[in-house]
Amino acid sequence: MTQTHRIPGKGLLIDRARPVRFTFDGVEVQGFHGDTLASALLANGQRMIARSFKYHRPRGVMTAGSEDPSALVEVLEGSQQTPNVRATTQEIHEGLTARSQNRIGSLRHDLLAVNDWLAPFFSAGFYYKTFMWPRAFWERLYEPAIRRAAGLGSLSGHHDVAVYEKAWAHCDLLVIGAGPAGLMAALTAARAGAEVILADEDVRMGGRLLSDQPAVGGLSGPDWAARTVAELAAMPNVRLMTRTTVTGAYDDGTFGALERVGLHVPAPGDLPRECFWRIVARRAILAAGALERPIAHPDNDRPGVMLASGLVSHVAKWGVNPGRVVIFSNNDSGLATARHLTAQGIEIAAYVDPRAIPVTEDFPVYAQATVTGTRGRHGLRDVAVTHAGGTSMIPARTLALAGGWNPTLHLTCHMNGRPVWEESLAAFVPKPGMVPGLSVAGAARGRFSTAACLADGVEVAGEVLRDLSLRPKKTPVPEAEDAPYAIAPLWAVDAGGRAWLDFANDVTTKDVRLAAQEGYASVEHMKRYTTQGMAPDQGKSSNVAALAVLAEATGQGIPATGTTTYRPPFVPVSIGALGAGGRAEGFAPQRLLTSDAKSRAMGAPMIEAGLWYRPSYFPRAGENDWRTACDREVAQVREAVGTCDVSTLGKIDVQGRDAARFLDFVYTNTMSTLKPGRVRYGLMLREDGFVMDDGTCARLAEDHFLVTTTTAAAGLVMRHMDFVHQAFCADWDVRLISVTEAWAQFALAGPKSRAVLASLGIRADLPFMGCTHIDLGGVRARLFRISFSGEEGYEIAVPTRYGASLFEALLSAVHAEGGCAYGMEALNVLRIEKGFITHAEIHGRVTADDVGLGRMVSAKKDCIGKAAAHRPGLTEPGREQLVGLMPVNQGETLSAGAHLYNERDLATRENNQGYVTSVAPSPTLGCWLGLGFVKDGRSRMGQVIRLDDGLRGHKVLVEICDPVFFDPEGGRMRG
Amino acid sequence: MRYSGFRVFTQGLGGNKGWTPAWRRPDPKPDYDIVIIGGGGHGLSTAYYLARNHGLRNIAVLEKGYLGGGNVGRNTTIVRANYFLPGNSEFYSHSLKLWEGLERELNYNVMHSQRGLINLFHSDGQRDAFARRGNAMLAQGDDAVLLDRDGVRRMVPYLDFEQTRFPIYGGLYHPRGGTARHDAVAWGYARGADRLGVDLIQNCEVTGIDIQNGRVTGVQTTRGAIRARKVAMVVAGRSGQVAAMAGMRLPVESHILQAFVTEGLKPVIDHVISFGMGHFYISQSDKGGLVFGGDLDFYASYAARGNLPMVEHVMEAGMTLMPMIGRARLLRSWGGIMDMSPDGSPIIDTTHVDGLYVNTGWNYGGFKAVPASGWCLAHLMATGTPHPVAARFRLDRFRTGRGLMDEEGTGAQHNLH
Amino acid sequence: MRIPCPCCGSRDRREFTYYGASVFLDRPAEDAGLEAWDAYLHLRDNPAGVTRDLWYHDPCQSWIEVERDTVTHAILSTAPVARRRA
């Protein structure tokens, strides 16, 4: 192909000195730098670009923008593939590879075109009425067939490895759209000193000035736009964003915007494909112009049928030669288009207008006439024009539809606002104030002439500036055409056959009328029943006409019929862009221990614990599974000593004269009686009476406590304590701060832990549950004598920057005593052997009594959760209580997640006696141990019950026992 | 008019001129035995089952807007029975059984598709919790399969098994879980109820509930007063306002849940996949759009629209879990109003007013409950006793603490379920 | 959505954690009885319109009572919770 359909000398955006080769459907095509895929294909005479959604009708290019309902293609890059790309916005570049989509076979010979023949049976909602028999056929036959036929383009199925970005921007004024209104608004505001962001979807700013090219202030439209943009670009308080579509209006002046950064570049390198912007603006002006709409007439969907505005753009911006053109218009802008094109040497074969207009033009005019059909299998050949004298078949290559203009008011409705019907424009216009801080200027609020748009930009900017307490400088409005706009609404031409309203979803006037006939008569029912407006273009070209046809069918009138809801985004946004940064590890912060590098170097598999990574176990040579390493680590702790990084536990520093009193209020037990230098285990309830968290509370000084939380609940407990303080006792002298990140903390556990301390030069004369400040090689550290293993245990805390070196020192010292580092697996075994609970047990539905800690709720004082914990449902018999579980046959394994049933009962919900929460293979006791909950469990000690894990086909008889399996007296801990 | 493939064929031959309205548009009568406030999924199914199971005919459904205009028409269409706690287990199990015959029951293709639901887990602890849930599903008589990582990979190989922030340990597979065409459920019940004589009255907003001597006597509406012996409030997203008309405060706080759909794509996701670490769940509709959602926006709202933080969070979750969807484009996002209850489980109960019933607190699980909710509320209204599978959905359980069903274990904070 | 933190100024919603209606501030006495505690913990006016609710600004640890409209999302005022008692 050789660009046979290019008009010499025309094409504002193309650089004829820079030919660009790309391929479409495997064929190499040449265009020019600045072309879109659509303009380049049209310039090469290719009008058919796509197959329609449902009937697989041949389709071409209708518009020159992102709103195009038909020209959707796939773009390929290696193994990556982007579906549903608008050919009208995809700029071509060297090596661009695109192909048509939604077809079986080639674009010209699509097997699914058979659907078009079956159209009578595929009326709106037909699928609700059939495919019901036989039942099993739905999933096996009907649905797979429907799914294969539906959809448009395809994803590759490979990970999208491209780069996307997100960014923030802040400004005084966001101007959306850089046509005449937007440019004047931005200029007015920028000259007044406002921080302005001007965002425009297109490659070059100017809007319709670049297409219609009216004279502005004595210059051509494009020249005036270029001069204005240059002035703006030179101002330090202005940021110009081209290729940027504002996609959504959100609360408090936050807008979403999508910038196409690398999509038009052959080798983008580090450039992201797209950047999703969050623009926070004190005020915003929507100057997004208006979108032209088609007219529904029989067979109005063939390649070659375009919107008049799309045609004008293709001629002006890319020099596309449309051949003989028929224009079908019901308004003055269509007539102006006919004159404009004629002046540029385009042959207007007919201008067709249902109105009684004078017939004094340089082209054939058919007044009081309509287009009643088209011919041409893969592209328009003839247009049937019905007029007073009958029907004429007029040969034409392009049919331009000019059905009037819909203001691009979508963003004003993103907060559930509805626009109002303006009879004189036969269009909806925005209602002021629907999005706080967002004003509308120009064609977006129905000011359609160039002069009106320019003036409106100045005026609206002036209003906004006053709100921003800025003084507008006098900005003269340049002179421009100010033609009136008159329209005689014509939504559909009834002449038999199918007349398309929604080209993207293949919805015809018949479908809308059928919906009304069947009672789906509200606009929302019609939309949902016919799928009108639910396609990739979200009904941009069809919504108003469809509801007009519905209004006619129901006799309700357009204002009473109303619109459906406008929802963001204004144009579809890739998940990659909106989810930028989420890929791979980026989804959530990674919190690393100070011992992380060393643990990894020791070969420890790291596992996620909330946002943290913790070592699972530390394998030694020859240890090929977790179990071997874990058994060894447990044994070494029980027999010698082990060390473990416990820094993930939440740490909250509590200080003040009323700190003790405050802690008495948040803990169920009493902390005010704790002596300085001592530690107490504490339990917190939620205000609804269930256990929130457990941990320790150390009294470092009279007015200074350190509270620890579980890893999982650190943030929750911090918020909770802040709430209790600020809401209920803000007048108490107490201050709270999270110090989780400030301290690295390591557990030492085992009979030789004291020896390890000694080797580190720490005098270990601390009583069980004692705490003290220590000096560790000149570093002020803290030592706690607490145990989560049941052995004599200590925890040493140092400022985080010393964590890595302390871990190294502990490792050496521990190894010297025949000990080891231990990981989460061993930690878990050790705590289960001792019946210590974690969030597996305190899972949010348990009371203090359920986990055997009822006595920890002090009767002497109020505390958070105490009142609600006394509700009858939380105190009555029959609750599930924490118990230990041991296999009756010692060699059998237990599984967490199993349920518990009486020995002879079937495993049904009604028979359920409880469930297992934690299990561990205990090398110490030589069998598996479990913790779980059993109805009235504490009164069932010694009973045998069946552990039933139907999911894994595992059944074991277990004995209910005390949850403390090892050293129940606690002699080892106390040393 | 009965629907069938044959009818579609003959109507097609005749230019589809003969299709009759799916439901009448009656004017309200002055007096009904039963008035259902709310023409959403639950209200319509309640009316249908009152007529079908209990032989009652003199029933009106009052809808302030259009039928099915609430959450039944704006959800992610997931149908499942995979609960852990008694109360929920038997109820959703019953609901799924009703779903399984719904097309034939209603003579309306609701496109219930049992494409299988996979709940992914990402740690040993989560595996245990899902196993516990799976065993509860088996004990209830439903289906559940525990998949290891390779098992998940065989079914959904396109997930990121290598790089994702929270590695996939496995999944709980619920083969009978799936999706349905949401609007069709409302329309199918509406048409079914209409055919049994129920008056479906649209654009009729209830403005007051008439109560005399502790007994409900009717409702005031924008289309006049209507007398009724029994009235049910079935108004998700407006429960607080309607209950206030009867002098009630409900244990409900209303929140926004956003949902998302992409442009149409050829089939790429067969199952329903749920990613707990990211609060992300996704399926692909028969039309080809990826339908997905996340967590609440987390602040009380009636705006039926959300904000960017949750939009972005959901997309980020999608990108870490299944980066192949990066080039699919978000077409539309919307918000539904969720009536969040303090334990995350619903309420179907009588009230302190004789003859006044309440159906609320569906959190974000209401869509799949549509059949059983209607079935059970109809049972309660017709017989005066709770249906056995909904017997725990009591209004007073929060006050007494008896029979709470807090699946998430997050406690009495409405937005955390 | 942006919330004016009394301490830090206008901040994006993602810096805040939501709790619930500000009825949570009016904690009943320990012995106030089931009804009072039910009302405190569970029952809500849940207005479609102006409400007061509680937000935590994570960076500065302030609990804030926000007066806002649940239909429009307009924020009418904010005040630190601690001010009530301090």
Side-chain angles (χ1 to χ4, degrees):
Chain A
M1 289 191 268
T2 54
Q3 312 201 43
T4 46
H5 293 70
R6 197 78 84 171
I7 307 170
K10 278 213 142 318
L12 190 63
L13 298 185
I14 51 172
D15 181 351
R16 291 181 190 246
R18 293 170 69 185
V20 172
R21 278 163 307 170
F22 65 98
T23 61
F24 182 70
D25 276 348
V27 177
E28 189 174 287
V29 187
Q30 196 190 76
F32 291 126
H33 184 82
D35 261 325
T36 65
L37 195 53
S39 69
L41 288 171
L42 289 173
N44 282 284
Q46 177 152 4
R47 291 178 295 170
M48 178 175 170
I49 286 181
R51 286 281 176 172
S52 72
F53 174 72
K54 185 173 171 186
Y55 301 126
H56 290 255
R57 306 252 303 177
R59 288 287 166 79
V61 177
M62 298 195 71
T63 73
S66 63
E67 71 277 15
D68 201 278
S70 294
L72 273 54
V73 300
E74 289 170 353
V75 170
L76 311 172
E77 301 146 62
S79 69
Q80 307 280 316
Q81 175 174 327
T82 312
N84 304 338
V85 173
R86 276 63 172 169
T88 44
T89 56
Q90 174 64 53
E91 296 164 57
I92 61 166
H93 56 72
E94 200 63 37
L96 175 74
T97 306
R99 72 176 174 210
S100 56
Q101 59 183 32
N102 193 33
R103 52 178 166 75
I104 295 180
S106 70
L107 181 58
R108 287 184 77 81
H109 304 287
D110 174 8
L111 293 179
L112 284 173
V114 66
N115 287 0
D116 203 26
W117 297 97
L118 297 173
F121 313 111
F122 289 174
S123 60
F126 78 99
Y127 31 74
Y128 300 129
K129 301 167 179 165
T130 180
F131 303 131
M132 289 179 273
W133 186 89
R135 200 177 98 74
F137 275 32
W138 174 248
E139 277 96 344
R140 289 194 209 140
L141 183 68
Y142 302 134
E143 193 184 35
I146 290 172
R147 287 169 82 88
R148 272 197 299 276
L152 287 164
S154 320
L155 292 172
S156 66
H158 302 298
H159 299 338
D160 182 1
V161 295
V163 182
Y164 299 90
E165 278 182 4
K166 278 196 276 207
W168 288 92
H170 297 256
C171 61
D172 291 328
L173 174 66
L174 169 66
V175 180
I176 302 159
L183 285 171
M184 283 311 288
L187 194 63
T188 306
R191 285 177 178 169
E195 297 283 334
V196 175
I197 293 177
L198 174 59
D200 191 86
E201 181 169 72
D202 286 333
V203 174
R204 187 183 296 187
M205 292 187 167
R208 296 290 317 160
L209 296 178
L210 308 185
S211 297
D212 301 335
Q213 309 202 341
V216 180
L219 297 172
S220 77
D223 288 348
W224 181 85
R227 203 185 64 179
T228 309
V229 169
E231 180 181 343
L232 288 166
M235 298 168 86
N237 54 332
V238 175
R239 174 179 206 152
L240 300 177
M241 299 177 74
T242 54
R243 295 190 178 92
T244 302
T245 311
V246 176
T247 56
Y250 299 91
D251 285 313
D252 304 309
T254 305
F255 293 84
L258 183 72
E259 181 185 2
R260 309 188 301 276
V261 184
L263 298 180
H264 58 289
V265 184
D270 290 340
L271 275 185
R273 285 166 60 77
E274 295 162 313
C275 179
F276 184 74
W277 289 88
R278 286 76 54 101
I279 301 176
V280 180
R282 292 170 66 200
R283 293 292 309 264
I285 295 175
L286 179 68
L291 292 173
E292 200 170 25
R293 58 198 186 207
I295 299 170
H297 64 73
D299 291 329
N300 60 338
D301 66 327
R302 295 189 197 283
V305 180
M306 300 178 80
L307 295 177
S309 53
L311 171 61
V312 169
S313 292
H314 276 98
V315 171
K317 290 180 167 177
W318 298 287
V320 169
N321 185 345
R324 279 166 60 87
V325 175
V326 172
I327 295 180
F328 182 23
S329 165
N330 62 354
N331 67 84
D332 292 350
S333 90
L335 186 57
T337 297
R339 293 173 185 148
H340 176 70
L341 290 174
T342 302
Q344 296 183 71
I346 309 277
E347 182 188 355
I348 304 297
Y351 174 78
V352 185
D353 197 316
R355 300 176 298 171
I357 54 165
V359 189
T360 52
E361 302 286 350
D362 295 341
F363 42 80
V365 173
Y366 294 81
Q368 293 177 290
T370 55
V371 172
T372 50
T374 63
R375 283 201 305 224
R377 185 160 165 238
H378 288 147
L380 183 73
R381 212 172 56 237
D382 303 296
V383 178
V385 176
T386 300
H387 46 87
T391 297
S392 313
M393 292 305 292
I394 300 175
R397 204 164 184 282
T398 300
L399 169 60
L401 301 177
W405 294 84
N406 292 326
T408 308
L409 49 74
H410 304 65
L411 287 175
T412 69
C413 298
H414 279 182
M415 296 192 180
N416 298 331
R418 301 291 166 121
V420 291
W421 182 248
E422 175 51 54
E423 197 71 47
S424 69
L425 303 176
F428 285 97
V429 293
K431 198 159 55 183
M434 292 194 294
V435 170
L438 178 67
S439 309
V440 188
R445 63 162 171 168
R447 313 278 165 102
F448 286 159
S449 78
T450 309
C453 286
L454 293 164
D456 208 29
V458 176
E459 184 184 329
V460 173
E463 290 162 15
V464 167
L465 288 168
R466 277 186 287 281
D467 286 0
L468 293 170
S469 305
L470 290 167
R471 190 195 305 268
K473 298 214 169 82
K474 182 118 184 84
T475 305
V477 180
E479 285 197 9
E481 63 83 20
D482 197 13
Y485 172 77
I487 180 167
L490 174 68
W491 307 107
V493 177
D494 286 318
R498 284 172 295 161
W500 267 260
L501 287 163
D502 184 337
F503 299 85
N505 254 355
D506 267 342
V507 180
T508 67
T509 53
K510 281 185 182 176
D511 293 315
V512 172
R513 288 173 187 142
L514 179 61
Q517 173 190 331
E518 293 194 83
Y520 301 91
S522 86
V523 67
E524 285 282 355
H525 280 159
M526 179 278 286
K527 166 192 145 180
R528 290 155 184 263
Y529 195 62
T530 64
T531 74
Q532 181 276 321
M534 296 167 77
D537 72 333
Q538 287 283 283
K540 288 196 182 73
S541 60
S542 62
N543 281 347
V544 176
L547 73 89
V549 171
L550 178 70
E552 201 177 81
T554 61
Q556 279 199 318
I558 291 172
T561 300
T563 65
T564 55
T565 315
Y566 294 79
R567 299 280 191 187
F570 171 68
V571 296
V573 182
S574 70
I575 292 175
L578 276 166
R583 175 105 169 75
E585 286 81 13
F587 177 58
Q590 294 176 295
R591 301 178 78 178
L592 302 181
L593 296 163
T594 56
S595 61
D596 186 85
K598 178 67 181 174
S599 298
R600 287 176 201 264
M602 291 166 73
M606 304 300 282
I607 54 169
E608 292 75 17
L611 297 178
W612 292 95
Y613 289 85
R614 302 188 73 177
S616 187
Y617 53 93
F618 293 87
R620 290 191 174 167
E623 291 178 346
N624 295 322
D625 59 37
W626 71 272
R627 179 69 190 278
T628 319
C630 175
D631 283 356
R632 190 251 311 145
E633 288 172 14
V634 170
Q636 281 185 288
V637 169
R638 294 265 180 247
E639 289 155 21
V641 63
T643 187
C644 175
D645 192 332
V646 295
S647 309
T648 62
L649 295 183
K651 298 180 268 300
I652 299 171
D653 204 75
V654 185
Q655 299 190 33
R657 280 193 313 280
D658 295 312
R661 188 179 167 202
F662 174 73
L663 292 171
D664 281 350
F665 191 30
V666 291
Y667 279 115
T668 60
N669 44 334
T670 309
M671 294 301 172
S672 53
T673 55
L674 191 63
K675 299 266 182 298
R678 304 291 292 185
V679 185
R680 189 168 283 168
Y681 175 70
L683 195 67
M684 286 186 197
L685 303 182
R686 297 188 308 236
E687 193 69 280
D688 68 354
F690 293 98
V691 176
M692 171 185 279
D693 200 35
D694 67 346
T696 61
C697 177
R699 192 163 199 170
L700 301 172
E702 190 63 31
D703 58 355
H704 187 187
F705 293 80
L706 183 75
V707 165
T708 67
T709 75
T710 58
T711 302
L716 175 72
V717 172
M718 185 72 234
R719 276 199 303 276
H720 170 69
M721 288 174 65
D722 269 334
F723 180 74
V724 172
H725 173 223
Q726 293 171 35
F728 306 135
C729 48
D731 48 342
W732 294 3
D733 180 32
V734 54
R735 289 288 177 271
L736 310 164
I737 192 163
S738 167
V739 293
T740 304
E741 275 88 356
W743 295 89
Q745 192 153 321
F746 298 89
L748 263 182
K752 295 191 175 165
S753 52
R754 207 177 304 196
V756 171
L757 288 182
S759 74
L760 293 172
I762 302 169
R763 272 185 53 208
D765 52 359
L766 209 55
F768 179 59
M769 300 302 270
C771 65
T772 186
H773 294 283
I774 56 169
D775 179 279
L776 199 57
V779 174
R780 192 168 155 83
R782 290 170 179 170
L783 182 68
F784 307 87
R785 183 163 170 196
I786 50 181
S787 173
F788 195 54
S789 62
E791 297 301 324
E792 180 174 344
Y794 298 86
E795 291 186 9
I796 309 171
V798 291
T800 301
R801 62 189 179 280
Y802 300 110
S805 51
L806 177 58
F807 186 60
E808 294 273 3
L810 280 169
L811 279 177
S812 312
V814 161
H815 288 154
E817 296 294 336
C820 65
Y822 62 97
M824 295 298 289
E825 295 292 350
L827 184 96
N828 199 39
V829 173
L830 291 162
R831 70 98 187 169
I832 290 173
E833 288 177 344
K834 281 295 294 178
F836 290 140
I837 54 177
T838 67
H839 277 281
E841 285 73 38
I842 45 176
H843 52 49
R845 291 183 297 270
V846 299
T847 65
D849 188 64
D850 293 345
V851 288
L853 300 173
R855 354 172 263 296
M856 282 185 68
V857 185
S858 167
K860 293 182 190 149
K861 61 175 182 77
D862 187 16
C863 71
I864 297 295
K866 189 175 172 190
H870 285 121
R871 285 182 286 170
L874 279 67
T875 49
E876 284 164 354
R879 289 192 64 84
E880 292 164 338
Q881 295 171 328
L882 180 71
V883 297
L885 301 164
M886 289 180 84
V888 171
N889 298 315
Q890 215 181 2
E892 292 191 293
T893 60
L894 305 185
S895 56
H899 286 239
L900 300 166
Y901 299 92
N902 289 328
E903 207 175 328
R904 289 174 213 296
D905 283 353
L906 289 173
T908 64
R909 173 176 49 79
E910 294 81 358
N911 291 335
N912 193 293
Q913 295 300 307
Y915 52 91
V916 185
T917 53
S918 300
V919 298
S922 167
T924 315
L925 283 86
C927 68
W928 280 74
L929 306 175
L931 297 175
F933 288 86
V934 174
K935 282 191 181 118
D936 294 318
R938 284 199 293 274
S939 64
R940 296 168 71 171
M941 294 296 153
Q943 285 185 16
V944 170
I945 198 165
R946 189 177 81 249
L947 178 155
D948 196 320
D949 187 349
L951 214 46
R952 289 172 280 205
H954 189 57
K955 290 183 173 60
V956 191
L957 291 180
V958 294
E959 186 185 319
I960 300 173
C961 59
D962 189 272
V964 186
F965 299 95
F966 178 68
D967 187 28
E969 296 77 29
R972 299 174 70 93
M973 259 181 341
R974 290 184 174 80
Chain B
M1 171 182 272
R2 197 165 170 78
Y3 292 157
S4 67
F6 181 70
R7 179 88 67 176
V8 169
F9 180 70
T10 54
Q11 283 291 332
L13 292 179
N16 292 305
K17 296 266 189 276
W19 294 111
T20 55
W23 45 77
R24 299 166 292 128
R25 297 180 84 82
D27 289 322
K29 293 190 289 187
D31 199 315
Y32 289 94
D33 291 335
I34 293 179
V35 159
I36 309 286
I37 309 174
H42 291 239
L44 292 166
S45 77
T46 302
Y48 175 77
Y49 290 117
L50 278 167
R52 180 223 188 248
N53 290 356
H54 304 283
L56 300 167
R57 290 292 184 272
N58 191 23
I59 302 167
V61 175
L62 309 183
E63 167 54 48
K64 75 170 177 174
Y66 59 95
L67 296 174
N71 291 335
V72 73
R74 56 184 82 216
N75 59 77
T76 48
T77 79
I78 298 170
V79 174
R80 59 187 165 91
N82 61 344
Y83 282 77
F84 171 58
L85 293 174
N88 286 329
S89 285
E90 57 266 37
F91 177 83
Y92 289 105
S93 180
H94 181 63
S95 204
L96 183 53
K97 290 191 187 93
L98 293 175
W99 276 106
E100 287 170 337
L102 204 55
E103 282 93 351
R104 309 288 287 280
E105 170 73 30
L106 298 176
N107 179 232
Y108 203 98
N109 190 352
V110 301
M111 303 186 185
H112 178 223
S113 172
Q114 296 185 293
R115 42 192 55 258
L117 164 70
I118 303 169
N119 277 96
L120 300 170
F121 48 78
H122 308 271
S123 68
D124 289 336
Q126 286 180 11
R127 179 192 292 115
D128 294 346
F130 273 110
R132 203 171 301 135
R133 196 204 288 207
N135 279 315
M137 292 157 68
L138 296 180
Q140 178 57 42
D142 293 321
D143 62 345
V145 179
L146 197 67
L147 302 174
D148 62 11
R149 182 184 161 90
D150 286 338
V152 173
R153 196 194 280 266
R154 274 193 293 276
M155 292 181 75
V156 284
Y158 47 80
L159 302 185
D160 193 337
F161 289 88
E162 278 71 43
Q163 277 190 289
T164 184
R165 173 67 177 81
F166 298 105
I168 296 160
Y169 279 49
L172 183 66
Y173 176 46
H174 173 32
R176 284 165 65 219
T179 56
R181 169 84 182 101
H182 55 9
D183 289 325
V185 178
W187 299 339
Y189 274 113
R191 177 169 164 270
D194 177 87
R195 295 207 301 178
L196 294 171
V198 173
D199 281 356
L200 307 176
I201 302 163
Q202 304 183 63
N203 301 309
C204 178
E205 182 171 0
V206 170
T207 54
I209 297 175
D210 297 331
I211 298 164
Q212 281 174 11
N213 303 321
R215 184 157 185 92
V216 74
T217 58
V219 294
Q220 300 293 320
T221 80
T222 49
R223 297 177 69 175
I226 299 173
R227 287 189 301 280
R229 270 151 291 293
K230 291 180 180 174
V231 173
M233 303 180 285
V234 196
V235 286
R238 282 280 154 178
S239 298
Q241 284 74 52
V242 175
M245 294 175 195
M248 294 174 71
R249 283 174 96 213
L250 293 176
V252 163
E253 191 173 272
S254 297
H255 282 260
I256 320 165
L257 181 69
Q258 298 194 68
F260 309 93
V261 65
T262 68
E263 296 173 344
L265 300 163
K266 292 297 176 194
V268 63
I269 293 177
D270 258 350
H271 302 84
V272 183
I273 300 165
S274 173
F275 171 45
M277 291 307 284
H279 292 284
F280 173 85
Y281 37 92
I282 188 166
S283 66
Q284 186 170 16
S285 78
D286 286 347
K287 253 185 97 219
L290 306 182
V291 179
F292 56 107
D295 219 327
L296 298 177
D297 266 29
F298 284 124
Y299 43 85
S301 170
Y302 287 89
R305 61 182 178 82
N307 273 296
L308 280 175
M310 189 49 67
V311 176
E312 294 175 30
H313 183 77
V314 169
M315 306 297 151
E316 287 163 15
M319 287 307 287
T320 195
L321 180 68
M322 44 172 77
M324 72 146 181
I325 62 173
R327 291 171 190 226
R329 286 193 201 81
L330 172 68
L331 176 62
R332 192 173 172 88
S333 62
W334 64 95
I337 309 299
M338 309 292 114
D339 284 347
M340 303 300 293
S341 72
D343 67 353
S345 294
I347 295 155
I348 298 176
D349 207 350
T350 55
T351 66
H352 71 290
V353 178
D354 282 348
L356 182 65
Y357 300 81
V358 62
N359 172 316
T360 187
W362 292 96
N363 296 271
Y364 32 70
F367 177 67
K368 62 185 176 292
V370 163
S373 170
W375 184 285
C376 294
L377 179 55
H379 182 96
L380 177 66
M381 293 181 79
T383 68
T385 54
H387 190 278
V389 303
R392 289 175 183 249
F393 292 173
R394 298 288 305 276
L395 192 52
D396 68 355
R397 66 180 185 268
F398 309 105
R399 180 168 53 82
T400 64
R402 292 191 185 102
L404 294 171
M405 290 160 285
D406 182 359
E407 296 269 348
E408 306 271 334
T410 42
Q413 185 180 329
H414 301 76
N415 65 339
L416 290 187
H417 297 284
Chain C
M1 180 181 278
R2 296 179 70 80
I3 299 170
C5 170
C7 184
C8 312
S10 169
R11 297 291 166 140
D12 191 84
R13 180 263 176 275
R14 57 194 96 197
E15 292 185 7
F16 296 82
T17 303
Y18 183 80
Y19 185 20
S22 64
V23 64
F24 275 127
L25 295 173
D26 304 315
R27 188 171 185 271
E30 184 185 349
D31 57 358
L34 286 180
E35 305 289 335
W37 277 94
D38 187 34
Y40 173 72
L41 286 168
H42 308 121
L43 304 182
R44 293 294 177 260
D45 290 339
N46 198 23
V50 175
T51 192
R52 287 172 181 274
D53 48 22
L54 301 170
W55 301 68
Y56 183 69
H57 191 216
D58 292 85
C60 76
Q61 291 186 232
S62 297
W63 277 98
I64 300 163
E65 185 175 15
V66 178
E67 182 190 14
R68 63 187 188 90
D69 191 312
T70 57
V71 176
T72 64
H73 291 172
I75 292 177
L76 308 173
S77 72
T78 58
V81 158
R83 186 188 291 170
R84 291 159 32 103
R85 287 176 185 270

